[in-house]
Coordinates of all heavy atoms in Angstrom, one line a residue:
S114 N -22.9 17.6 21.4 CA -21.5 17.5 21.9 C -20.6 16.8 20.8 O -21.1 16.2 19.9 CB -21.5 16.7 23.2 OG -22.0 15.4 23.0
Q115 N -19.3 17.0 21.0 CA -18.4 16.4 20.0 C -18.6 14.9 19.9 O -19.0 14.3 20.8 CB -17.0 16.7 20.4 CG -16.0 16.3 19.3 CD -14.6 16.4 19.9 OE1 -14.4 16.5 21.1 NE2 -13.6 16.2 19.0
H116 N -18.3 14.4 18.7 CA -18.4 13.0 18.5 C -17.5 12.2 19.5 O -16.5 12.7 20.0 CB -17.9 12.6 17.1 CG -18.8 13.1 16.0 ND1 -20.0 12.4 15.7 CD2 -18.7 14.1 15.2 CE1 -20.5 13.0 14.7 NE2 -19.8 14.1 14.3
T117 N -17.9 11.0 19.9 CA -17.1 10.2 20.7 C -15.8 9.9 20.0 O -15.7 10.0 18.7 CB -17.8 8.9 21.1 OG1 -17.9 8.1 19.9 CG2 -19.1 9.2 21.8
L118 N -14.8 9.6 20.7 CA -13.5 9.3 20.1 C -13.6 8.2 19.0 O -13.0 8.3 18.0 CB -12.5 8.9 21.2 CG -11.0 8.7 20.7 CD1 -10.5 9.9 20.0 CD2 -10.2 8.3 21.9
N119 N -14.3 7.1 19.3 CA -14.4 6.0 18.4 C -15.2 6.4 17.1 O -14.8 6.1 16.0 CB -15.2 4.8 19.1 CG -14.3 4.1 20.0 OD1 -13.0 4.2 19.9 ND2 -14.8 3.4 21.0
M120 N -16.3 7.2 17.3 CA -17.0 7.7 16.1 C -16.1 8.6 15.2 O -16.1 8.5 14.0 CB -18.3 8.4 16.6 CG -19.4 7.6 17.1 SD -20.7 8.6 17.8 CE -21.3 9.4 16.3
N121 N -15.4 9.5 15.9 CA -14.5 10.3 15.1 C -13.4 9.6 14.4 O -13.1 9.9 13.2 CB -13.9 11.4 16.1 CG -13.5 12.7 15.4 OD1 -14.3 13.1 14.5 ND2 -12.5 13.3 15.8
R122 N -12.9 8.5 15.1 CA -11.8 7.7 14.4 C -12.4 7.0 13.2 O -11.7 6.9 12.2 CB -11.3 6.7 15.4 CG -10.1 5.9 14.9 CD -9.6 4.9 15.9 NE -8.9 5.7 17.0 CZ -9.3 5.6 18.3 NH1 -10.4 4.9 18.6 NH2 -8.7 6.3 19.2
E123 N -13.6 6.5 13.3 CA -14.3 5.9 12.2 C -14.4 6.8 11.0 O -14.1 6.5 9.8 CB -15.7 5.3 12.6 CG -15.7 4.2 13.6 CD -15.4 2.9 12.9 OE1 -15.4 2.8 11.7 OE2 -15.0 1.9 13.7
R124 N -14.9 8.0 11.2 CA -15.1 9.0 10.2 C -13.7 9.4 9.5 O -13.6 9.6 8.3 CB -15.8 10.2 10.7 CG -17.2 9.9 11.3 CD -17.8 11.2 11.9 NE -18.2 12.1 10.9 CZ -17.8 13.4 10.9 NH1 -17.0 13.9 11.9 NH2 -18.2 14.3 10.0
L125 N -12.7 9.6 10.4 CA -11.4 10.0 9.9 C -10.8 8.8 9.0 O -10.2 9.1 8.0 CB -10.5 10.3 11.0 CG -10.7 11.7 11.7 CD1 -10.0 11.8 13.0 CD2 -10.4 12.8 10.8
A126 N -11.0 7.6 9.5 CA -10.5 6.5 8.7 C -11.1 6.3 7.4 O -10.5 6.1 6.4 CB -10.7 5.2 9.5
K127 N -12.4 6.6 7.3 CA -13.2 6.5 6.0 C -12.7 7.6 5.1 O -12.5 7.4 3.9 CB -14.7 6.6 6.3 CG -15.3 5.4 6.9 CD -16.8 5.6 7.2 CE -17.4 4.4 7.8 NZ -18.9 4.6 8.1
A128 N -12.6 8.8 5.6 CA -12.1 9.9 4.8 C -10.7 9.7 4.3 O -10.3 10.0 3.2 CB -12.2 11.2 5.6
G129 N -9.8 9.2 5.2 CA -8.4 8.9 4.9 C -8.3 7.9 3.8 O -7.5 8.0 2.9
A130 N -9.2 6.9 3.9 CA -9.2 5.8 2.9 C -9.6 6.4 1.5 O -9.0 6.0 0.5 CB -10.1 4.7 3.3
M131 N -10.6 7.2 1.5 CA -11.0 7.9 0.3 C -9.9 8.7 -0.3 O -9.6 8.6 -1.5 CB -12.3 8.7 0.5 CG -12.8 9.5 -0.7 SD -14.0 10.7 -0.3 CE -13.0 11.9 0.5
Y132 N -9.2 9.5 0.5 CA -8.2 10.4 0.0 C -7.0 9.6 -0.5 O -6.4 9.9 -1.5 CB -7.8 11.4 1.1 CG -6.9 12.5 0.5 CD1 -7.4 13.4 -0.3 CD2 -5.5 12.5 0.9 CE1 -6.5 14.4 -0.8 CE2 -4.7 13.5 0.4 CZ -5.2 14.4 -0.5 OH -4.4 15.4 -1.0
L133 N -6.6 8.6 0.3 CA -5.4 7.8 -0.1 C -5.7 7.1 -1.5 O -4.8 7.1 -2.3 CB -5.2 6.7 0.9 CG -4.0 5.7 0.6 CD1 -2.7 6.4 0.4 CD2 -3.9 4.6 1.6
S134 N -6.9 6.6 -1.7 CA -7.3 6.0 -3.0 C -7.1 7.0 -4.1 O -6.8 6.6 -5.2 CB -8.7 5.5 -2.9 OG -9.1 4.9 -4.1
Q135 N -7.3 8.3 -3.8 CA -7.3 9.3 -4.9 C -5.8 9.7 -5.3 O -5.5 10.0 -6.4 CB -8.0 10.6 -4.4 CG -9.5 10.4 -4.3 CD -10.1 11.7 -3.8 OE1 -9.5 12.6 -3.4 NE2 -11.5 11.7 -3.7
I136 N -4.9 9.6 -4.3 CA -3.5 10.1 -4.5 C -2.6 9.0 -4.8 O -1.5 9.2 -5.3 CB -3.0 10.9 -3.3 CG1 -2.8 10.0 -2.1 CG2 -3.9 12.1 -3.1 CD1 -2.1 10.8 -0.9
I137 N -2.9 7.7 -4.6 CA -2.0 6.6 -4.8 C -1.9 6.3 -6.3 O -3.0 6.3 -7.0 CB -2.4 5.4 -4.0 CG1 -1.2 4.4 -3.8 CG2 -3.6 4.7 -4.5 CD1 -0.2 4.9 -2.8
N138 N -0.8 6.0 -6.8 CA -0.6 5.7 -8.2 C 0.3 4.5 -8.5 O 1.0 4.1 -7.5 CB 0.0 7.0 -8.9 CG -0.8 8.2 -8.8 OD1 -2.0 8.2 -9.2 ND2 -0.3 9.3 -8.3
D139 N 0.4 4.1 -9.7 CA 1.3 3.0 -10.1 C 2.7 3.4 -9.7 O 3.1 4.6 -9.7 CB 1.3 2.8 -11.6 CG 0.0 2.2 -12.1 OD1 -0.8 1.6 -11.3 OD2 -0.3 2.3 -13.3
D140 N 3.5 2.4 -9.3 CA 4.9 2.5 -8.9 C 5.2 3.3 -7.6 O 6.4 3.6 -7.3 CB 5.7 3.2 -10.1 CG 5.6 2.5 -11.4 OD1 5.7 1.2 -11.4 OD2 5.4 3.1 -12.4

Side-chain angles (χ1 to χ4, degrees):
S114 60
Q115 187 193 11
H116 290 282
T117 66
L118 183 59
N119 285 337
M120 288 175 62
N121 209 35
R122 186 178 292 119
E123 292 281 345
R124 297 176 72 233
L125 287 166
K127 289 178 181 178
M131 178 191 72
Y132 189 70
L133 177 63
S134 182
Q135 292 175 355
I136 66 171
I137 201 75
N138 299 306
D139 292 341
D140 302 316

